[in-house]
Amino acid sequence: MLNFEFKNPTKIHFGKGLIEKLTTEIPANAKVLMLYGGGSIMKNGIYEQVKSALKNFEVVEFGGIPANPEYAVLLKALDIIKTQNITYLLAVGGGSVIDGTKFLSSAALYTGTNPWDILEKGIRTDVGMPFGTVLTLPATGSEMNSGSVISRAETKQKFGIGGPGLFPQFSILDPTVISSIPANQIANGITDAFTHVLEQYMTYPIGANLQDRIAESIMQNLIEVAPVILNNPNDYNAQCEFMWSCTMALNGLIQKGVPTDWAVHAIGHELTALYGIDHARTLAIIAPSHYRYNFNAKKEKLAQYASRVWGINEGSIETKAHQAIDKTETFFHSLGIKTHLSEYTDNYKDASEFIHKNFTDRGMLGLGEHKNLTPDDVVKIVEMSY
Ligand code: NZQ
Ligand code: ZN
């Protein structure tokens, strides 16, 4: 096991009917900017619950943060924060609203002249404006981590930021919010969380058995709950399992003391930037090709995953490892997620050159757990996914 440091300061309220906890979690004298997305919270009763809990606070609202939170939209919210002397941010939404709020938390206290620098230069946030979240869509783990990914449509860019100042102070996880999520977004959430585990697991053996077994159990849980929650999004036990699995997949715990990969995400973000494909679907496009291309480097963990997660115990390491990749792809298909780029866009052949140029320009010359995947390797992985 590698050396590590672990601190996760986010307080979780998990369970039915807990949105009212906002009343005690937000400081009494705060001037709150409540941020939300395209309006789903108006239709499913979440807006009323939040407003009722905030009735004794001074609250300004900012709606309209789109999926893949857009820099130009967030600048309008930043203006409100500054002109209206906001002191506390509250995200009510999925990963996009939470990530947008994290960027605002950073930008609100940023002393430089251009907030774009935070994204383009990847400036780490040690202290941000305090914020909390009400999660409405399990998927990203953003509710309990310090990462954020922001898009800029104008330049077709999508950049990640982070830093210890970007953990939410608290997050309210009421699993009943899942009842109103459309099936395609539930499928996205399962795929995203599952791939988060893969990115932190599918590397090489390091002798961190506890992390491996926690990772394997999150994957097993997601595989088990997927058909249940897709079939009946009102099943409370399934809601709980799905929501907590997604949070645990990316709250920092399973990446401690182990090598991590994250190449699938790095490449996937480019597909979202270029084509607007949902984040999770980009991962399902890239992951199978990535594991096939890097087969030799990853075959031992692939075989372990085959045996412990999929129950494949026959044959050589190579046989089990190949079957595990096929099983993963079949799992994505079972959720209704397509795994080839050409199934999403007719212009798929633009992808490899676009990504090669971006990674070269940004100096992203060595991806993966061995930091040895060059832009030329990435071209091959992307073309395998066509
Ligand atoms: O905008 P509204 O109207 O609220 O609708 C949203 C949106 O259209 C809808 N939705 C959310 N909760 C709902 C609901 N519809 C009905 N009922 C509810 N309860 O779902 C749609 C998608 O929402 P979004 O927040 O975009 O989805 P997700 O949570 O998958 O977030 C994706 C974003 O997170 C980033 C992705 O790159 C992408 O930009 N990620 C963030 C990470 C992090 N911070 O750690 C890690 C991830 O790997 C990922 O990169
Ligand atoms: Zn993800």
Side-chain angles (χ1 to χ4, degrees):
M1 204 183 297
L2 307 172
N3 291 1
F4 65 88
E5 195 176 83
F6 183 47
K7 179 177 180 182
N8 188 317
T10 302
K11 177 173 175 182
I12 298 293
H13 288 286
F14 187 98
K16 213 181 267 190
L18 296 184
I19 292 179
E20 64 184 29
K21 291 282 177 189
L22 287 172
T23 313
T24 48
E25 287 299 344
I26 298 179
N29 58 356
K31 183 165 181 186
V32 181
L33 182 63
M34 172 184 165
L35 298 127
Y36 57 91
S40 68
I41 64 166
M42 302 295 179
K43 295 180 207 138
N44 55 18
I46 297 174
Y47 178 82
E48 283 75 20
Q49 290 181 63
V50 171
K51 287 297 277 188
S52 154
L54 294 179
K55 62 179 180 295
N56 294 323
F57 290 86
E58 203 179 343
V59 182
V60 179
E61 291 180 25
F62 185 89
I65 297 178
N68 304 312
E70 168 57 38
Y71 180 68
V73 175
L74 296 170
L75 285 186
K76 293 182 192 158
L78 184 59
D79 191 51
I80 295 175
I81 292 170
K82 294 205 163 150
T83 54
Q84 303 209 31
N85 300 318
I86 298 295
T87 63
Y88 202 97
L89 306 176
L90 177 66
V92 184
S96 294
V97 173
I98 299 174
D99 282 9
T101 301
K102 288 178 175 176
F103 168 72
L104 292 168
S105 159
S106 174
L109 303 191
Y110 180 60
T111 50
T113 46
N114 185 359
W116 179 244
D117 287 346
I118 301 171
L119 294 160
E120 190 166 41
K121 297 181 183 164
I123 296 172
R124 178 183 142 101
T125 304
D126 288 316
V127 183
M129 179 170 280
F131 68 98
T133 88
V134 175
L135 180 68
T136 67
L137 172 56
T140 64
S142 190
E143 66 278 6
M144 199 180 175
N145 70 38
S146 59
S148 160
V149 194
I150 304 296
S151 296
R152 190 173 188 178
E154 189 192 347
T155 50
K156 291 194 167 33
Q157 286 166 306
K158 184 165 180 171
F159 288 141
I161 54 168
L166 294 186
F167 281 101
Q169 290 200 328
F170 67 87
S171 283
I172 298 177
L173 276 56
D174 178 342
T176 64
V177 299
I178 292 166
S179 297
S180 63
I181 302 175
N184 68 321
Q185 293 295 346
I186 291 182
N188 282 354
I190 295 163
T191 303
D192 192 22
F194 196 85
T195 312
H196 292 159
V197 180
L198 290 175
E199 296 268 39
Q200 301 163 92
Y201 173 95
M202 204 59 77
T203 57
Y204 52 89
I206 189 98
N209 282 329
L210 182 59
Q211 288 89 325
D212 278 2
R213 290 187 197 280
I214 297 171
E216 287 151 2
S217 60
I218 296 170
M219 291 191 282
Q220 285 173 315
N221 223 33
L222 285 167
I223 292 165
E224 198 174 288
V225 80
V228 186
I229 195 72
L230 279 168
N231 185 44
N232 179 10
N234 296 308
D235 178 325
Y236 184 66
N237 281 335
Q239 291 174 337
C240 290
E241 298 293 349
F242 171 37
M243 186 173 261
W244 190 227
S245 296
C246 292
T247 303
M248 286 298 291
L250 194 54
N251 66 0
L253 182 65
I254 61 170
Q255 75 184 19
K256 294 300 157 188
V258 299
T260 58
D261 182 344
W262 294 111
V264 175
H265 272 69
I267 302 170
H269 288 333
E270 297 299 311
L271 297 181
T272 301
L274 182 58
Y275 302 112
I277 301 170
D278 289 353
H279 168 65
R281 290 167 200 255
T282 68
L283 308 177
I285 293 166
I286 296 299
S289 305
H290 178 62
Y291 297 137
R292 289 187 181 113
Y293 184 80
N294 294 291
F295 187 77
N296 279 332
K298 292 178 181 289
K299 65 184 180 191
E300 287 177 10
K301 285 303 281 284
L302 278 164
Q304 178 180 313
Y305 159 75
S307 161
R308 294 193 190 168
V309 175
W310 294 109
I312 301 165
N313 294 310
E314 301 296 317
S316 64
I317 286 185
E318 285 76 10
T319 305
K320 287 188 278 192
H322 277 301
Q323 285 183 30
I325 302 172
D326 295 345
K327 275 279 188 188
T328 309
E329 202 166 0
T330 307
F331 175 54
F332 294 149
H333 293 161
S334 78
L335 308 173
I337 302 255
K338 296 176 179 138
T339 52
H340 288 279
L341 188 56
S342 56
E343 295 173 292
Y344 292 85
T345 170
D346 292 338
N347 302 325
Y348 60 91
K349 286 187 178 155
D350 298 348
S352 58
E353 197 185 317
F354 174 82
I355 300 176
H356 188 279
K357 180 176 183 330
N358 284 349
F359 283 5
T360 308
D361 289 353
R362 282 183 225 142
M364 293 166 69
L365 306 177
L367 298 188
E369 66 273 20
H370 295 294
K371 306 210 178 314
N372 62 353
L373 287 180
T374 65
D376 288 345
D377 292 311
V378 170
V379 163
K380 291 184 188 128
I381 294 167
V382 172
E383 292 181 351
M384 278 168 72
S385 79
Y386 284 174

